[in-house]
Amino acid sequence: MVLPEPMAAPTKELGDCQNINEAVSSDTLDTGVREPYVMENSSDNANRSRQTNPALVGVSNDRASSSQGNKDIGLWQGHKVNSEFVCLLDRIFHKYPETFDQFTSKNKKLCTMNLNMLCTSVNDFTKTFLNEVDSEMIADYRDAFAYLGNRGLNIGWLRRRLNYIEHLKFSKPLIPELHAIDCHIDDAKRQNLQSKLHVLQAFRRAKMSEIQKAFGTMGTRLTAGFIGDDLLSGP
């Protein structure tokens, strides 16, 4: 029996496969060597670029300086508040120290919010003219003051003034009548009606006397200015 000769083709294919594997392995090794080299060069170039490019350094410095803190934030007795309110809180504390006797909270953000709300309410309230006050405004301030009171702020001084303003404005029609006379006086001045102006001014003096009898000197004083501009004035 004659055995067939072994086929040569598989041996050649195996050799080709070995060559391919060697080539792939060689490429992989080459790639493995080149990649760190490329990355290292990129990193070095980036570092050198940052060191030599003043524009990049400037951007980095600007970002760092902008993160150092908000200039609009101030400190009042350890509490963060809007910087514009620090002096106002000092004035309130100086004249009405009892305001803060019961004001304590472990939540710092809540303290900040309540103190800012107090100052915003005081600013708005004290800079309102008497003829601007209406029943809706009275109700809004009463709600705001009740909220602040429930947060431990003793603002009886604000509530007393609010009650007085409500009584002054709505218990009698004297303030609306005075406002109507003032409007007629302005018209007479614009039209240069001197005789009418003298009569209206006499009416106004009489009305102011009625207001003083009904509400005292504070009532007459508040008709000419803000409803709370004297709350934080003086000692």
Side-chain angles (χ1 to χ4, degrees):
M1 182 176 180
V2 180
L3 296 175
E5 295 181 1
M7 297 177 64
T11 304
K12 185 176 185 302
E13 290 179 2
L14 179 60
D16 291 340
C17 290
Q18 289 176 344
N19 292 336
I20 292 173
N21 289 337
E22 289 176 359
V24 171
S25 176
S26 175
D27 288 342
T28 302
L29 289 175
D30 289 344
T31 302
V33 171
R34 283 197 298 268
E35 285 179 352
Y37 178 76
V38 172
M39 293 176 65
E40 183 178 352
N41 284 346
S42 299
S43 176
D44 290 343
N45 290 337
N47 289 336
R48 282 194 294 270
S49 177
R50 288 183 181 276
Q51 292 172 0
T52 58
N53 190 337
L56 290 177
V57 174
V59 170
S60 177
N61 290 340
D62 289 343
R63 288 176 180 172
S65 61
S66 66
S67 64
Q68 290 177 355
N70 190 337
K71 294 181 179 179
D72 293 332
I73 299 298
L75 281 178
W76 183 79
Q77 297 196 6
H79 299 293
K80 289 183 178 180
V81 295
N82 291 358
S83 58
E84 62 184 300
F85 293 152
V86 173
C87 291
L88 178 57
L89 286 167
D90 284 338
R91 291 168 61 196
I92 295 173
F93 183 77
H94 177 72
K95 191 161 186 180
Y96 307 102
E98 70 278 6
T99 302
F100 308 99
D101 285 347
Q102 305 298 322
F103 182 67
T104 57
S105 176
K106 295 180 180 179
N107 190 323
K108 294 183 178 180
K109 291 184 178 179
L110 188 61
C111 284
T112 296
M113 183 186 73
N114 291 333
L115 289 174
N116 284 338
M117 181 179 176
L118 169 66
C119 292
T120 300
S121 299
V122 170
N123 265 343
D124 292 344
F125 182 72
T126 57
K127 295 178 181 178
T128 300
F129 287 105
L130 184 60
N131 59 11
E132 297 174 339
V133 175
D134 56 22
S135 57
E136 183 178 356
M137 183 183 293
I138 293 290
D140 288 342
Y141 276 121
R142 184 161 283 120
D143 289 342
F145 294 166
Y147 172 87
L148 292 170
N150 291 334
R151 297 305 180 274
L153 290 164
N154 182 0
I155 51 174
W157 52 282
L158 282 172
R159 287 173 168 166
R160 288 189 293 272
R161 177 54 60 89
L162 181 65
N163 291 336
Y164 181 83
I165 293 299
E166 183 179 29
H167 179 64
L168 175 64
K169 184 69 182 282
F170 301 112
S171 64
K172 293 184 178 182
L174 296 177
I175 301 301
E177 289 172 356
L178 178 67
H179 179 61
I181 293 173
D182 287 339
C183 290
H184 288 302
I185 288 176
D186 290 339
D187 290 339
K189 287 180 178 178
R190 282 194 296 268
Q191 299 176 33
N192 197 24
L193 302 175
Q194 294 300 321
S195 58
K196 183 178 180 179
L197 181 60
H198 291 317
V199 173
L200 290 170
Q201 288 173 338
F203 282 157
R204 191 181 196 282
R205 287 192 294 269
K207 190 61 62 178
M208 289 294 287
S209 296
E210 292 183 58
I211 293 173
Q212 184 171 359
K213 289 178 182 178
F215 304 107
T217 56
M218 180 182 292
T220 57
R221 186 173 67 250
L222 292 178
T223 61
F226 298 123
I227 61 176
D229 58 358
D230 61 328
L231 283 172
L232 296 173
S233 61

